[in-house]
Amino acid sequence: MAQIPLSYYQNDDVVFLAQDLLGKLLVTQIDNKLTAGIITETEAYRGLDDKAAHSYNNKRTARTEIIYARGGVSYVYLCYGIHKLFNIVIGAENVANAILIRAIEPIKGIEHMLERRNKTKLNKSLSSGPGTMSQALGITMGHNAQSLNGPNIWLEHFKEIAKEDVISTIRIGVDYANEDALLPWRFYIKNNLFISKK
DNA sequence: GAGTAGATCGGCT
DNA sequence: GCCGATCTACTCG
């Protein structure tokens, strides 16, 4: 299966892309272990005018600088000192948009994911949630600012999700963003088991 | 099953 | 020095 080209990520419509990413395969090859899962849940963040985004109001710091890169690289950051949250940088250069990948449905290398998560059985808790998903795929802070044309992380086409099977709701954990906390920029696949929260 | 405290550290003020 | 785009374990019922 072919990698999705970097040009795909350079679309400035981050809200559209967040929906379009559903059903795509997120693949990592880390520590010589190939793991992959279908993207089942995403959230869009728009730097220009979205108070929930780290790059809100085009704020630039050492951390957020990577979000201004041309689309098609990773943005990984540490949350609560424990969790590595994986984002995809979107848009043209100097456009500070990103998409948080919140959950995947495991497809390949499930035994590696179970081992990384210290589990024995495949169930919802393996990879439905931004922190656990990164752990299952082996993503760490060292995978920040990596190109999504490999060799460690890339996306592939897998299946199309019908429009009526895409649910959009408000994002999670962004109450601090005032009115922007109400934007319906979280998307997930209807009736999929691997969703962080209903 | 629901509710909550504790973990743990880089980035910002 | 404070706090977060979270997860888990533990309590209480």
Side-chain angles (χ1 to χ4, degrees), chain A residues 94-153:
Chain A
N94 290 318
V95 176
N97 293 345
I99 297 173
L100 170 67
I101 309 298
R102 292 188 53 87
I104 59 165
E105 175 181 338
I107 295 293
K108 279 189 209 168
I110 291 172
E111 68 279 13
H112 299 311
M113 298 195 204
L114 289 169
E115 191 186 340
R116 284 171 178 148
R117 296 271 300 120
N118 203 17
K119 288 182 168 296
T120 53
K121 272 200 226 160
L122 172 61
N123 63 28
K124 175 183 187 316
S125 69
L126 182 63
S127 58
S128 49
T132 55
M133 178 212 79
S134 294
Q135 194 188 352
L137 291 174
I139 294 170
T140 66
M141 293 301 288
H143 300 99
N144 187 33
Q146 296 229 339
S147 168
L148 295 185
N149 65 358
N152 297 128
I153 308 175

